[in-house]
Amino acid sequence: MNVTLTVNGEIRSASVPPETTLLVFLREHLLLTGAKTGCDIGDCGACTVIVDGKAVNACLMLAAQADGRAVTTIEGLATREGLHPLQKVFEETGALQCGFCGPGVILTSKALLDENPDPTTEEIRTALAGNLCRCTGYVKMIDGIHEAAKMMQSATPALPAPEQR
Amino acid sequence: MAEDLDVLDKTRIAPVDSLRRADEDLRLPVVARPSTLPLEPPLVPQVGEQTHAVGLRAQRPDSRDHGLGLTRYIDDIALPGMLYARIKRAGVASARIKSIDISAAEAMPGVMAVLLGREIPTNLFGTSIVDQPLLADPIVRQAGDGVAAVAAVTEQIAQAACDAIKVEYEPLPGVYDAIEALKPESHKVHGGDTNVYAKKVIRQGDVERGFAESYRIYEDEYYTPGIEHAPMEPFTSIADWDSNGRLTVYASIGRITLARVDLSKTLHVPISRIRVIGTIVGGNFGGKNEIRHEPVLALLAKKAGRPVKGRFTRVEEFVASTIRHAFFMKYKTGVSKDGKILARQIRMILDGGAYCSFSETTLGKACILSTGPYHVPNSFIEGYVVYTNKTTAGSMRGFGAPQVCFAYESQMDDIARDLKIDPLELRMKNFFRDGSMTATGQVLHSVKVIESMQNAVKKFGWETQS
Amino acid sequence: MKHRGRGLASMWYPVGFTGYANPSGAVVKVNEDGTAVVLTGTVETGQGSLGVLGQIAAEALGLAPNDIHIISGDTDTCPMDTGAIASRTTYITGNAVRIAAEKARDILFEVAAEMLGVKPNMLEAKDHKIQVQSFPSRNVAIADVSSRAHNGIGTPPIGSATWNPPMVPMDPETGQGKPFGTYVYATQIAEVDVDDETGEVEVLRVTASHDCGTAINPMLVEGQIDGGVYMGLGFALYEEILFDKAGKQINCNLTNYIMPTTLDMPAIDEDIVENYDHTGPFGAKAVGEPSLVPTAPAITNAIYDAVGVRITALPATAERVLAAIKAKRAREQKQIPA
């Protein structure tokens, strides 16, 4: 069957068997290998991508279910202007070690920050509960998400307050 | 390509069907463009004005690729014409293979090669005792043993072909408990007259005299279970032959030189004709220190004439790789009235599972470290690893140290409580110092255990809390 | 009711293999522009070891970490290395890299000595310069020295070395010997809440003080400590492979094999003990494996402090802790005279 979706802002389509998961679609048909196969049954979160603003396990979603939707993968996060604040903070602080869980962790965090620009530590922990990491103990990740949230807030230009003038 | 994209005005919202038609009409490549890489230099504190590179909180060289999802792990590598391998697992822990019927699997469209254990030139490997077959033939000793392997054009076909392989087993008696395995009447996993395959003894001083001089003697037993490494990246390798008969193996293995030696021994190919490329490992923790299926992949690749990738499923990662040894420990410690350790007798049994792997190293480290970071003038340590028909235990982060540390530090607290001595003070009385001698007679240097306790106590706020 | 407790555990841990040779080789090549390439047979498994090796080479050559490029993990092109195992990379491969870099630097010294009109043994490499010891203003840029070595003198600065820790194998009868080059030490303290109605243990914070010799990169050392405490937490409270009576694993997937998630993690306060081991590269030893060793007993000692029960079998699941609490209550009731 033919699946067409918007990946990182660009429309892509491919003809795939109906049982193809979104993860296989991205990795094998679009050659976007940033999302990883860690368990293939939705336990580890290494395959996390963002579909219509929500972080999902790409191994649990059929490619057909993503038809017509907008998918963001780790490859689509950095822009010509530079790294996403999460990428920047994570690389500067060594928040990732082996890095295998990294794309999933970063995308889950991005989905969180898009919805909740100033999350509490508890909210970060809850959001990341489905992303397993065996190296880092999540410590520098959680700190990094706070830091990235601060960066993103300060980067937003403050609203003008004309009524005071 | 940028011009092509402009044809599809991205701001216009079009129904998916028309987009799909437009897409097909345009024959867009299905590969999304990689994002333009940011060019700002990574954050590395600069060395200058007589400062040092050592001690810098420098950014890791791989961290940008990690964050961008560009790190190329082994599963992200695909060679042209590459096939996918699957290994059929026994699913029974102790049995003799009576027959294997691979005809249905071989007849499946898309199946390019099937391999059995008897086709492997030397179907045994191991880091110290060479006792582990790559594919069981004919004895199955653990449920995760492979019995046949298939290479096919897709993973799904390879799996279906594995399912179509019919194996007839003759059940054998088994032993599933390390203590049971010590009994004379127990099933012998590898034949012979004992399941004990590694033993370690360390003696220093006179432990009986030490106990005789002791004010109190404490005897306790401890147990720690088998643990899975569970790296996020499953064990994966690719085998590829060139036309000169030279083999290249890409693998997420932490010890490529050992892997090359084992490949050479099992395949009967000279070392000079084997290249092992260790890809960035997506988590190791000791579980990726030796070969698992690489010779099997190499032989499948040779049969099929195409490169072959094998990736463990998450379940295989549990049942067909190694695990941390389960430990049964007995600690007998004699102390003086003021809390000085005078003698320690330790006996430990390690559940080694079906094959040796890194058991000897694990046992050695566990025995050496079992007295704790304490000066013990009289010690007698004996440790044994036994075969059982359970998952093979091998190296895992700490090599026996977390197990014995659980025992000696639990007992230290109990001794302190019983003697009504502060647990910190009891440790302080016994800690190693520079020049202390270990149970193996090694004189220590660079000892900082006292400082580590002082720092931890201060940072934690131990004193202010009590 | 929840009870708070705290527990402490110390440990020691050796670096490298147990009385067996486990050498590492390294090749360091200084380029014409004063940057360098390091060849090593080890493999990056997530610890950040390649960055650490780069910092060691940079220190020996008087360069910055960014000036070093590492090639690793290929049996055809890289020198022999026993591999990323036994917490040995910084200590053993690091020593090989240090010595190889010093050999390459000595070639630079020969060339620079002539350029500066001094003896080679009066020189040092710092800040991208070869300079006269105690007279840093008399210097020449490493790039210029290396370019001259390559194209003028004809002695490209390439150094290679191997290193194996000094050991004496253990006697099979008595176990006496010197199995390791050096050891590291650590103490961890855990604070827990234990619910005496459910047996549930919550680890609130862990203070982890580790001796790793010189911390080549303190940020990466902290990362190793964080990950070690995480793995120790799993060992203490959650993780256990369960087998059925026929030797088959029951919980062989990440759904049923319980590993700590973000929700289980305590706050971690890392501490690096000041130390310098003269046998290690620039005083460094190891931290990879040891960081997980004392966590479990620190937690079970804290459980004892909270509710007075001794856990002797791991993991200390809620069921086990609750059973121990109930057994303790039963014992205490028996002791009360009727």
Side-chain angles (χ1 to χ4, degrees), chain A residues 92-115:
Chain A
E92 285 174 3
T93 58
L96 301 175
Q97 290 183 20
C98 85
F100 200 79
C101 68
V105 168
I106 290 175
L107 288 173
T108 302
S109 311
K110 181 196 183 304
L112 170 71
L113 293 183
D114 287 349
E115 240 176 50

Side-chain angles (χ1 to χ4, degrees), chain C residues 7-120:
Chain C
L8 174 145
S10 299
M11 70 105 219
W12 61 318
Y13 195 78
V15 188
F17 279 20
T18 317
Y20 300 101
N22 61 123
S24 284
V27 175
V28 175
K29 310 187 286 184
V30 181
N31 300 317
E32 292 90 327
D33 63 352
T35 60
V37 172
V38 175
L39 304 185
T40 165
T42 194
V43 177
E44 174 63 60
T45 72
Q47 340 82 312
S49 57
L50 299 189
V52 165
L53 296 176
Q55 284 180 260
I56 289 170
E59 181 71 34
L61 291 167
L63 300 174
N66 232 8
D67 300 321
I68 313 288
H69 179 65
I70 313 253
I71 305 282
S72 71
D74 182 346
T75 54
D76 270 9
T77 57
C78 298
M80 189 275 169
D81 195 290
T82 307
I85 180 173
S87 300
R88 56 183 294 290
T89 305
T90 299
Y91 183 64
I92 298 171
T93 309
N95 260 328
V97 169
R98 177 185 59 86
I99 298 166
E102 285 170 357
K103 285 184 178 174
R105 186 193 61 192
D106 287 346
I107 296 172
L108 293 173
F109 282 176
E110 290 287 336
V111 175
E114 190 207 21
M115 293 163 85
L116 290 166
V118 294
K119 286 190 177 133

Side-chain angles (χ1 to χ4, degrees), chain B residues 67-223:
Chain B
L68 288 166
L70 293 178
T71 302
R72 207 166 284 152
Y73 301 92
I74 174 108
D75 197 29
D76 304 331
I77 297 170
L79 302 180
M82 189 174 78
L83 305 174
Y84 298 86
R86 269 293 155 84
I87 295 176
K88 187 177 179 68
R89 302 287 165 191
V92 291
S94 184
R96 177 190 302 274
I97 299 171
K98 281 168 75 177
S99 67
I100 300 185
D101 180 2
I102 57 170
S103 53
E106 282 185 315
M108 270 189 180
V111 172
M112 307 298 278
V114 181
L115 187 81
L116 297 175
R118 58 173 167 268
E119 299 173 72
I120 302 169
T122 294
N123 187 15
L124 278 179
F125 71 101
T127 56
S128 55
I129 301 173
V130 181
D131 62 355
Q132 183 161 4
L134 290 150
L135 294 174
D137 175 41
I139 307 292
V140 171
R141 297 187 182 85
Q142 61 176 3
D145 269 347
V147 294
V150 175
V153 291
T154 69
E155 256 178 318
Q156 288 79 358
I157 296 174
Q159 184 59 53
C162 278
D163 296 343
I165 294 173
K166 291 189 192 70
V167 187
E168 211 183 325
Y169 297 102
E170 173 198 335
L172 294 177
V175 58
Y176 308 109
D177 179 275
I179 305 300
E180 272 312 296
L182 284 173
K183 293 182 181 163
E185 70 274 16
S186 66
H187 169 66
K188 303 298 177 289
V189 177
H190 286 262
D193 55 3
T194 175
N195 280 316
V196 174
Y197 64 96
K199 185 185 172 192
K200 193 101 195 163
V201 175
I202 300 172
R203 289 170 201 276
Q204 195 175 74
D206 181 346
V207 77
E208 288 311 323
R209 205 186 65 206
F211 286 130
E213 289 168 0
S214 293
Y215 167 68
R216 286 218 178 125
I217 293 171
Y218 300 87
E219 289 187 74
D220 295 290
E221 293 185 16
Y222 302 93
Y223 170 76

Side-chain angles (χ1 to χ4, degrees), chain B residues 155 279 344 431:
Chain B
E155 256 178 318
T279 53
R344 209 157 216 185
F431 270 148

